[in-house]
Amino acid sequence: VSRRSRGCGRANGEKSSVVFSIVVFGSIVNEGYVNRVDDSQEHCIFNRNRNACNYGITVGVLAFLSCLLYLALDAYFPQISSVKDRKKAVLSDIGVSAFWAFLWFVGFCFLTNQWQASKEEDNPMNEGADAARAAITFSFFSIFTWVGQAFLAYQRFRLGADSALFSQDYMDPSQDSGMPYAPYTNEEDATDAVGTYQQPPPADAFDTETQGYQTQNY
């Protein structure tokens, strides 16, 4: 698999993670709070546990921002000239992706548990049920998208260790003009190529030769 295909796969994974995170926190914000008929105060649809709704919203928003950050980093990555900075960027990509996969796993388990524990009398009209199921479903999908991103970032790190990605000679292909530079030659090489150069005689030599010549009057 080429480096370009890995980059495309990672970009697609990040875009999917963006969409999934929007679905999760959007579903909870819009329809994740309901109230009883005899109570005007709204409660979280997940077993009236406000922590469950807060967790889903917080993780969804932060995951969305993280995706945007690393999409920008991927676009800027070829411009990074420092070897250490490139390694740090790839390693942080691996760590952050694995971290978000863990958070989404916790969120999926937490939301699923609280949804199963919800009481029917708390929501007799079954309002927001589709939104709750959507949040749970896309939390589950997000686990695999972030795991996939961590795997692709790890492959990128291994590929960089064996290529010019982490070398001092790395150059952005878009900045490579492809124009060859003229080879450097020192003065000795130039002298050998042109041949031995003889300096012309000074002007005084002509004066010396003509000193014995005297004009004759006819």
Side-chain angles (χ1 to χ4, degrees):
V1 183
S2 64
R3 186 186 309 171
R4 183 181 298 274
S5 62
R6 289 191 180 98
C8 293
R10 166 149 185 82
N12 292 332
E14 288 175 342
K15 293 176 182 177
S16 299
S17 298
V18 169
V19 175
F20 294 167
S21 61
I22 292 175
V23 172
V24 172
F25 76 78
S27 299
I28 298 175
V29 169
N30 292 330
E31 302 182 42
Y33 294 90
V34 296
N35 62 299
R36 293 181 178 178
V37 178
D38 57 348
D39 188 4
S40 60
Q41 184 179 1
E42 292 184 341
H43 298 277
C44 179
I45 196 174
F46 295 99
N47 196 28
R48 298 171 66 91
N49 187 349
R50 187 169 295 273
N51 291 329
C53 288
N54 291 339
Y55 186 91
I57 294 173
T58 302
V59 171
V61 172
L62 294 180
F64 171 75
L65 297 177
S66 297
C67 288
L68 295 183
L69 175 63
Y70 277 92
L71 281 172
L73 179 62
D74 287 344
Y76 181 71
F77 188 83
Q79 309 296 329
I80 302 176
S81 58
S82 173
V83 176
K84 292 183 178 180
D85 291 341
R86 287 198 295 270
K87 286 185 177 179
K88 289 179 180 178
V90 177
L91 290 175
S92 68
D93 194 357
I94 298 173
V96 169
S97 298
F99 177 70
W100 279 113
F102 172 75
L103 290 183
W104 279 118
F105 174 75
V106 173
F108 167 73
C109 295
F110 188 23
L111 296 179
T112 302
N113 177 265
Q114 293 302 304
W115 177 246
Q116 292 176 346
S118 299
K119 300 177 182 179
E120 185 177 354
E121 58 266 22
D122 292 335
N123 186 17
M125 302 298 294
N126 203 25
E127 298 177 359
D130 293 338
R133 295 189 186 97
I136 293 173
T137 301
F138 283 93
S139 295
F140 178 74
F141 291 159
S142 296
I143 299 172
F144 296 98
T145 57
W146 284 101
V147 168
Q149 291 180 58
F151 177 73
L152 291 176
Y154 176 70
Q155 283 190 325
R156 187 180 190 182
F157 178 79
R158 292 187 58 186
L159 178 66
D162 299 331
S163 66
L165 185 64
F166 294 149
S167 68
Q168 294 287 354
D169 297 332
Y170 176 80
M171 179 180 296
D172 182 10
S174 62
Q175 297 179 352
D176 186 9
S177 61
M179 296 295 294
Y181 293 95
Y184 171 78
T185 57
N186 54 25
E187 295 181 358
E188 296 180 358
D189 295 337
T191 302
D192 295 339
V194 176
T196 304
Y197 175 75
Q198 296 181 356
Q199 186 175 5
D204 296 343
F206 293 99
D207 296 340
T208 304
E209 294 177 357
T210 57
Q211 285 179 357
Y213 177 77
Q214 297 181 355
T215 56
Q216 298 181 359
N217 297 325
Y218 296 96

